């Protein structure tokens, strides 16, 4: 089944859930906002109902990727206007009405590596950040000296996905970081990679895809 979000945004660019699947968050480029939905059955989108929105327009007018830290007290948005990662603090976990922009000191530019960042994720403990984008067609890995604090990020290395996808839009890892998945709208597929060292993209190699 499916769940229509066009009443809130007709250009959705990313999606994520809270830890127990009772909330869904959809980022949109049309409204430049994050739309929050409640799910009466965890992780079942057919049971979703719109709750509220949070605008990111003041920080990013082309938002493409979003994620949270582990406990939902921090939220991150990237996009190809600022070419940066914007960090937000949430006083109530996974409640976007309690979100506030952490300030320019908590904004991290990725423009030296990618000028159209389209996706963002972290490793399990927040000491690594990964940005995927259309211009480099690669996954960029950053090290964070303070977990989940993007102001402490520094670039490490990258991994090209161009041979599989020339317009990558999103990425994810399995739990231990030994598998990576990349999606995009050139191949319209999910590409799977294995990593011999968990969450180290320099050790990645292509395995297979799913259309």
């Amino acid at each position: 089944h499916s769940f229509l979000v066009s009443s809130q945004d007709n250009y959705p660019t990313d999606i994520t859930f809270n830890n127990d699947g009772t909330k869904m968050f959809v980022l949109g480029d049309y409204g430049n906002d994050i739309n929050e939905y409640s799910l009466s059955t965890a992780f079942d989108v057919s049971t979703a109902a719109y709750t509220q929105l949070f605008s990111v327009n003041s920080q990013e007018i082309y938002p493409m990727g979003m994620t949270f830290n582990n406990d939902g007290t921090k939220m991150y948005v990237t996009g190809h206007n600022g070419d940066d990662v914007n960090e937000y603090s949430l006083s109530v976990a996974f409640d976007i009405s309690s979100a506030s922009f952490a300030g320019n000191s908590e904004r991290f530019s990725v423009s030296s590596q990618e000028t159209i960042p389209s996706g963002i994720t972290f490793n399990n403990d927040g000491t690594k950040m990964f940005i995927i984008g259309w211009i480099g067609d690669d996954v960029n890995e950053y090290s964070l000296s303070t977990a989940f604090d993007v102001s402490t990020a520094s670039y490490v290395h990258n991994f090209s996905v161009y041979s599989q996808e020339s317009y990558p839009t999103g990425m994810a890892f399995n739990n231990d970081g030994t598998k990576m998945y990349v999606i995009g709208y050139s191949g319209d597929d999910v590409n799977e990679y294995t990593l011999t060292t968990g969450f180290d993209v320099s050790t990645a190699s292509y395995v297979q895809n799913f259309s």
Side-chain angles (χ1 to χ4, degrees):
H1 42 231
S2 62
F3 177 76
L4 196 66
V5 299
S6 60
S7 295
Q8 288 77 50
D9 204 292
N10 57 18
Y11 197 162
T13 55
D14 205 0
I15 180 174
T16 193
F17 292 82
N18 68 341
N19 295 335
D20 65 6
T22 57
K23 287 188 176 185
M24 177 175 72
F25 305 89
V26 175
L27 180 67
D29 189 20
Y30 185 79
N32 299 330
D33 53 20
I34 298 165
N35 297 283
E36 180 182 315
Y37 303 82
S38 63
L39 286 77
S40 55
T41 301
F43 294 109
D44 182 347
V45 299
S46 70
T47 69
Y50 173 67
T51 306
Q52 58 189 346
L53 65 81
F54 177 78
S55 176
V56 298
N57 184 72
S58 295
Q59 291 79 47
E60 181 56 63
I61 60 172
Y62 296 112
M64 299 295 292
M66 70 167 296
T67 193
F68 290 90
N69 68 342
N70 293 339
D71 64 5
T73 58
K74 287 189 175 185
M75 180 173 69
Y76 310 86
V77 173
T78 189
H80 64 86
N81 180 58
D83 302 330
D84 53 14
V85 178
N86 299 283
E87 182 179 314
Y88 302 83
S89 297
L90 288 78
S91 56
V92 180
F94 292 109
D95 181 350
I96 60 173
S97 69
S98 72
S100 59
F101 179 52
N104 289 331
S105 62
E106 298 298 320
R107 173 184 273 153
F108 178 75
S109 175
V110 298
S111 61
S112 295
Q113 291 79 47
E114 181 58 60
T115 55
I116 306 185
S118 56
I120 178 174
T121 192
F122 292 85
N123 68 341
N124 295 334
D125 64 6
T127 58
K128 288 189 175 185
M129 179 175 69
F130 304 89
I131 298 288
I132 196 167
W134 302 354
I135 296 300
D137 300 326
D138 54 13
V139 179
N140 298 281
E141 180 181 319
Y142 302 83
S143 174
L144 286 76
S145 55
T146 301
F148 292 111
D149 182 347
V150 298
S151 70
T152 69
S154 58
Y155 175 67
V156 180
H157 46 225
N158 68 354
F159 175 77
S160 176
V161 298
Y162 179 77
S163 296
Q164 291 79 46
E165 179 57 61
S166 57
Y167 289 99
T169 57
M171 65 172 301
F173 290 90
N174 69 341
N175 293 338
D176 64 4
T178 57
K179 288 192 175 185
M180 179 174 70
Y181 308 89
V182 172
I183 195 167
Y185 67 73
S186 173
D188 298 329
D189 55 10
V190 180
N191 297 282
E192 180 184 320
Y193 304 82
T194 58
L195 289 77
T196 55
T197 302
F199 295 108
D200 181 348
V201 298
S202 70
T203 70
S205 58
Y206 175 68
V207 179
Q208 59 190 345
N209 69 350
F210 176 76
S211 178

